[in-house]
Amino acid sequence: MFRNYFKTALRSLLKNKGFTFINIIGLALGLAICLLITFYVTDELSYDQYNVKHKRIYRVNTDLKFSGTLTEYAITAIPVANVLKTECPEVETAVRVTPALNIRFKKGDEIVREDGTTFYSEPNIFDVFTLPLLSGDAKTALKEPNTIVIAESMAKKYFNRSNVIGQTLFLVTSGTSLKITGVMKDMPVQSHFRANFLLAASPVNNDAPWNRLTAFATYVLVKPNTNIASLESKLNAEMQEGLKGSSTMNYSKFRSGGNYFKLSLMPVTDIHLKSNRVMELGANGNSQYVYIFSAVAIFILLLACINFMNLSTARSASRAREVGVRKVLGSSRKHLIFQFLAESLIVTFVAAVIAVFAAWALLPLFNHLSNKQLVINAQTATWLLPALLSIVVIVGVLAGSYPAFFLSAFQPINVLKGKISTGFKGGTFRSTLVVFQFSISIFLVIGTLVIYNQLNYIQNKNLGFNRNQVLILNNVNTLEHPELLKQEIKKLPGVINATLTSFLPTANNKVLNYVSPSGKEGQSTQFWKIDEDYIGTMGMQMKNGRGFSGEFRTDSTAMVINETAAKVFGYGNDAIGKTINTGIAKDLKKYHVIGVVKDFNFSSLRDNVTPLVMVLDNDWLARLSIRINTHNLPILMTGIEKTWKTIAPNEHFEYSFMDADFDALYRTEQRMGQLFIIFTGLAIAIACLGLFGLAAYAAEQRNREIGIRKVLGASIAAIVTMLSKDFVRLVTMSFLIAAPLAWLTMNKWLQGFAYRQDIQWWVVILAGAGAVAIAFVTISLQSFRAAAANPVESLRVSD
């Protein structure tokens, strides 16, 4: 019997090739997009789960509120890790990790940058994270100073083999030879930080002040069934005691001003999607995108299913007589339902097969747009095949259920007399589907426009510095005479100014120092070392005082601070001449403030500007930033490279442009914007396909009415208007539903930016007008075809 169902269903589908093709393509498209988004969401949710003990690993975060400004850090003070290990019995161990900046290794005669993947770590990192060593002993690998553990791919990169225990890597930055004591497997891509090099961290002073934050991220491995809330309370109590006994701050005065330090524990698996703190070890994702894309996948799949229903219903007139004849010949309604469900399952199965191949073909493009490395392999197949089988059954039944029950319910006598349906106006369910489809489409259109409007705002916002026409030369710290390079390049025609520093507004600036204004409470603050040309080259503006100058010898103990620092330190407009101390005890150094620079954004616009101090120092000269005139850029670049080769013939010439580096900070948003455009376009296309089907259904049901109206003199325009107005009304209803929902959702998304553009009214109006226009064009194509038909033919068929 089942064989007969499928045989008859297949014959019916092949007889109506156009209908079958549209249904299969619509479902395949929806399924393919759903699969791609599923790959993306699964990958995002899998971060840090490679760690065998991931359910027991937490990172300690610090919240600091000072002078009304709340700053959320992904780092802690030094004593935190020691207290966790010695005072908290529910903790197995704790480890500190910090990024190594300006890292340059020597590979033969070549100097290679390895920033972003090099970290200093305590020896017990292997007790917390799952980092299998291919060679070496995890217990002793990082116990000795000047030792290093490298990833397998790095061993092959530098030595062309993986067994490199006992070899040395020369660290150009410090002029130190590092002994390789371990080779570990490459860390998975799905990790919130990616270490290719682990250097032995120098011993730290566990008695350091609790109010002095360092660049160390602290991770804790708790014992099974630990009460995390209780551990947080205990840790905060220890910190309060430490702050009370601090010799570097007046704790009572600090608390009375509404200020506080607060520690919290974040599961390591939450870091990638739910953490956007200062001093993160790597670029994290955004849970909002996971939620949004998951919803988009479900919606697009629903749209495809709805189209199946609409298009099947549109064929009701042509199949009504078939149903009537079958019932007269004794076929039960149950058999008819099975028959139509069989057709639906066949279409869904074929669509699923096509969807898998389409997803596989589109995966490289999707990887490029989403910056992923997704693959379909044997591991993927273990969940993909069962999932597809389930989808085929569920979608086949859901998509085919309405046509099956609708068509099988026709009464034979009414069908054979030509009394089929009351037409479109009686299709409340179908109208609901149209409203649902276009509500989703309009929602996506508004979301896409808001995202691009925010990105445009970011790219054109006055950041407090001029990122345009700034060329950045890297690896300058490998040169013997970087100052000579700067002076020679400043002589070139087309060069306006140049500055030597590692600290740039578009770079990964993660150097903190303890700053204590005279007579006031101190805190850890961004601490930049620059030269006298920095402020002018960056195009920054002074609010009060002056910048550094080579004409003043006292500038060696001078300091320039930003507006936020002046506010936080309680100086207001009277910062000039104030004394600020840095460091503690024997490292204490006094500076006098000579200027206040206007606030500029030196991190993502998702974050508020934090306090920043700058001093005159030539210790950190990793980059030479050059403000240039770009009228004759090729000749200027040739001159700059020639100057480089003259001064450093054996060093690699590497450069970038500051505006490109700035855009890289928002590459995630740009990629998401591109994906939104694609998904929105597909959603609209699928919705229009369903609308086209309903328009065909309405025209089919009113075929005789159209013929009579034309005989009585109705124009084609009048008939098109008659057929279109109900659909346009439904799309308008969709707009009224989708607009407020999209407004609320995108407003929440914008809250993630400290600096944002409010949703403009024209965005909502444009989305609504565009949806109505697209719907009208879609409907008009089918309506015009029906209105232009010969009325004699329609009246003859209807008799």
Side-chain angles (χ1 to χ4, degrees):
M1 180 180 293
F2 287 103
R3 180 181 178 185
N4 183 60
Y5 285 146
F6 281 96
K7 185 176 180 180
T8 306
L10 187 60
R11 186 184 302 122
S12 175
L13 292 171
L14 292 175
K15 181 181 177 182
N16 300 276
K17 294 183 178 64
F19 157 79
T20 303
F21 176 79
I22 293 175
N23 258 335
I24 289 177
I25 293 302
L27 276 175
L29 182 61
L31 283 170
I33 298 303
C34 186
L35 281 176
L36 289 174
I37 295 178
T38 300
F39 293 153
Y40 171 84
V41 170
T42 302
D43 184 78
E44 287 288 284
L45 294 176
S46 67
Y47 268 70
D48 293 297
Q49 293 189 12
Y50 70 90
N51 293 294
V52 175
K53 304 171 186 176
H54 66 266
K55 293 182 179 180
R56 297 193 287 126
I57 303 174
Y58 293 80
R59 186 184 69 192
V60 187
N61 296 327
T62 304
D63 292 343
L64 167 61
K65 186 174 183 181
F66 191 72
S67 295
T69 300
L70 175 63
T71 307
E72 298 175 327
Y73 291 98
I75 54 174
T76 65
I78 286 179
V80 172
N82 189 54
V83 166
L84 284 166
K85 288 188 286 187
T86 59
E87 306 296 331
C88 302
E90 57 267 71
V91 170
E92 283 192 13
T93 188
V95 62
R96 287 169 283 217
V97 181
T98 187
L101 303 181
N102 302 317
I103 293 299
R104 308 289 184 273
F105 291 117
K106 201 163 188 179
K107 180 186 176 186
D109 294 330
E110 182 184 2
I111 305 298
V112 183
R113 291 180 63 195
E114 297 290 359
D115 286 346
T117 60
T118 306
F119 297 85
Y120 288 102
S121 171
E122 293 180 312
N124 60 332
I125 186 172
F126 303 103
D127 297 331
V128 179
F129 296 98
T130 302
L131 304 172
L133 292 189
L134 301 175
S135 55
D137 185 356
K139 295 183 182 298
T140 59
L142 293 176
K143 280 198 170 182
E144 299 297 325
N146 297 326
T147 55
I148 184 172
V149 173
I150 69 175
E152 182 181 15
S153 59
M154 295 299 103
K156 293 177 179 178
K157 173 180 176 180
Y158 283 87
F159 301 97
N160 296 318
R161 65 183 192 277
S162 58
N163 185 14
V164 294
I165 296 293
Q167 299 293 315
T168 58
L169 266 180
F170 186 72
L171 182 59
V172 177
T173 313
S174 62
T176 307
S177 291
L178 303 175
K179 182 182 178 182
I180 299 175
T181 53
V183 177
M184 63 182 179
K185 284 186 177 180
D186 286 4
M187 289 182 68
V189 175
Q190 295 82 9
S191 177
H192 74 279
F193 74 98
R194 190 87 185 277
N196 287 333
F197 303 89
L198 290 174
L199 283 68
S202 301
V204 296
N205 178 15
N206 287 316
D207 294 326
W210 281 83
N211 59 324
R212 183 184 183 186
L213 295 180
T214 65
F216 281 104
T218 301
Y219 296 89
V220 56
L221 177 65
V222 301
K223 294 178 181 178
N225 304 317
T226 294
N227 186 321
I228 300 302
S230 174
L231 179 58
E232 281 185 347
S233 298
K234 183 183 297 185
L235 189 57
N236 276 292
E238 290 284 348
M239 182 183 63
Q240 300 307 320
E241 290 300 317
L243 291 171
K244 288 178 183 178
S246 173
S247 61
T248 62
M249 70 178 298
N250 186 325
Y251 182 70
S252 299
K253 185 178 179 182
F254 177 81
R255 287 296 301 271
S256 64
N259 308 311
Y260 63 78
F261 280 94
K262 182 181 179 182
L263 300 177
S264 61
L265 297 177
M266 171 174 279
V268 70
T269 50
D270 285 354
I271 292 175
H272 176 66
L273 290 178
K274 299 180 180 179
S275 182
N276 181 38
R277 291 174 168 262
V278 178
M279 308 288 285
E280 294 282 354
L281 292 186
N284 290 335
N286 191 323
S287 60
Q288 289 182 348
Y289 293 133
V290 172
Y291 299 143
I292 291 171
F293 283 156
S294 298
V296 168
I298 295 172
F299 287 152
I300 286 182
L301 189 58
L302 285 176
L303 292 178
C305 294
I306 290 170
N307 281 351
F308 196 170
M309 297 179 189
N310 286 340
L311 290 170
S312 297
T313 305
R315 296 180 61 233
S316 59
S318 62
R319 302 202 66 181
R321 292 182 185 276
E322 175 191 341
V323 172
V325 171
R326 282 175 177 269
K327 283 197 170 185
V328 168
L329 294 177
S331 181
S332 66
R333 185 184 182 194
K334 180 178 70 174
H335 289 164
L336 287 172
I337 290 173
F338 278 126
Q339 181 64 60
F340 288 120
L341 287 178
E343 291 183 17
S344 176
L345 287 170
I346 290 174
V347 170
T348 309
F349 177 77
V350 175
V353 173
I354 295 175
V356 171
F357 284 102
W360 174 75
L362 292 172
L363 198 55
L365 175 61
F366 186 79
N367 281 337
H368 174 72
L369 291 174
S370 62
N371 194 33
K372 289 289 184 181
Q373 300 177 26
L374 308 174
V375 292
I376 299 178
N377 50 28
Q379 185 177 359
T380 308
T382 58
W383 64 265
L384 179 59
L385 293 178
L388 277 177
L389 184 61
S390 302
I391 288 174
V392 167
V393 174
I394 295 172
V395 172
V397 172
L398 286 177
S401 59
Y402 180 70
F405 289 101
F406 177 75
L407 293 175
S408 64
F410 288 163
Q411 296 298 318
I413 189 166
N414 291 331
V415 169
L416 296 176
K417 284 183 177 181
K419 300 177 181 179
I420 304 170
S421 173
T422 58
F424 174 74
K425 289 185 178 180
T428 304
F429 181 67
R430 291 186 298 279
S431 300
T432 303
L433 296 182
V434 172
V435 172
F436 180 72
Q437 282 184 313
F438 271 86
S439 293
I440 294 172
S441 301
I442 293 170
F443 182 96
L444 291 176
V445 170
I446 294 175
T448 302
L449 291 174
V450 169
I451 289 173
Y452 262 84
N453 194 35
Q454 174 66 11
L455 289 177
N456 184 64
Y457 169 76
I458 288 172
Q459 291 170 345
N460 293 285
K461 182 183 181 297
N462 181 5
L463 301 171
F465 66 95
N466 185 1
R467 66 181 183 272
N468 298 314
Q469 298 182 329
V470 177
L471 174 71
I472 302 171
L473 302 187
N474 296 308
N475 305 331
V476 174
N477 58 321
T478 64
L479 306 186
E480 192 172 343
H481 302 290
E483 282 286 352
L484 176 61
L485 175 69
K486 172 185 171 181
Q487 297 306 324
E488 291 300 315
I489 284 182
K490 285 180 72 172
K491 296 175 183 178
L492 296 175
V495 172
I496 300 172
N497 207 343
T499 180
L500 277 167
T501 183
S502 292
F503 300 92
L504 299 175
T506 56
N508 191 16
N509 304 302
K510 290 186 176 181
V511 173
L512 298 178
N513 199 355
Y514 185 75
V515 173
S516 178
S518 181
K520 299 180 180 294
E521 298 302 332
Q523 70 171 87
S524 295
T525 302
Q526 285 280 337
F527 190 83
W528 292 12
K529 298 179 179 181
I530 64 175
D531 66 10
E532 64 272 11
D533 294 315
Y534 182 86
I535 293 175
T537 302
M538 293 295 112
M540 297 171 181
Q541 301 295 319
M542 299 300 299
K543 181 180 181 181
N544 294 314
R546 62 175 178 84
F548 297 114
S549 172
E551 298 178 2
F552 297 92
R553 292 184 178 181
T554 55
D555 278 5
S556 59
T557 59
M559 180 178 283
V560 174
I561 64 177
N562 67 352
E563 289 178 281
T564 299
K567 175 185 174 184
V568 169
F569 295 160
Y571 292 152
N573 294 322
D574 300 321
I576 307 302
K578 293 294 192 295
T579 300
I580 294 180
N581 303 323
T582 65
I584 57 174
K586 63 180 181 179
D587 296 326
L588 188 67
K589 188 172 181 179
K590 292 186 177 182
Y591 291 89
H592 62 282
V593 178
I594 62 170
V596 178
V597 67
K598 289 185 178 179
D599 276 345
F600 60 93
N601 293 92
F602 50 86
S603 61
S604 169
L605 289 179
R606 289 184 175 276
D607 306 321
N608 286 303
V609 175
T610 56
L612 164 72
V613 301
M614 296 181 284
V615 297
L616 194 62
D617 201 314
N618 60 359
D619 281 350
W620 292 64
L621 305 179
R623 299 180 180 92
L624 176 64
S625 301
I626 312 164
R627 179 159 297 283
I628 59 177
N629 187 323
T630 57
H631 288 316
N632 204 338
L633 186 59
I635 293 177
L636 178 57
M637 289 301 301
T638 301
I640 291 174
E641 184 172 6
K642 184 179 179 181
T643 303
W644 174 282
K645 292 297 183 184
T646 300
I647 296 174
N650 297 322
E651 303 295 341
H652 180 59
F653 180 70
E654 181 183 312
Y655 68 90
S656 64
F657 286 93
M658 184 174 282
D659 54 355
D661 293 342
F662 173 82
D663 290 340
L665 292 173
Y666 305 96
R667 200 159 286 155
T668 298
E669 281 75 19
Q670 291 168 350
R671 290 191 182 104
M672 295 305 105
Q674 291 173 336
L675 288 175
F676 254 89
I677 286 181
I678 294 172
F679 293 150
T680 299
L682 291 172
I684 291 174
I686 293 173
C688 287
L689 188 63
L691 200 60
F692 185 85
L694 275 188
Y697 170 77
E700 187 176 7
Q701 295 305 302
R702 303 176 73 172
N703 200 23
R704 188 174 182 182
E705 177 189 348
I706 293 171
I708 293 173
R709 285 179 179 273
K710 288 197 71 176
V711 168
L712 294 176
S715 65
I716 291 178
I719 294 173
V720 169
T721 302
M722 176 193 72
L723 293 174
S724 302
K725 64 181 182 181
D726 288 328
F727 293 103
V728 172
R729 178 176 56 85
L730 293 178
V731 175
T732 304
M733 288 176 58
S734 301
F735 170 73
L736 296 177
I737 293 172
L741 291 176
W743 186 286
L744 292 173
T745 303
M746 297 316 297
N747 252 327
K748 184 176 181 180
W749 177 77
L750 287 171
Q751 298 308 310
F753 292 88
Y755 302 91
R756 54 186 175 268
Q757 177 105 9
D758 292 333
I759 300 177
Q760 305 295 313
W761 63 268
W762 61 264
V763 170
V764 180
I765 298 301
L766 181 62
V772 172
I774 292 172
F776 183 76
V777 170
T778 303
I779 299 161
S780 297
L781 291 174
Q782 183 61 40
S783 301
F784 182 82
R785 179 182 175 186
N790 189 338
V792 176
E793 295 297 327
S794 61
L795 292 174
R796 181 182 297 157
V797 171
S798 300
D799 287 335

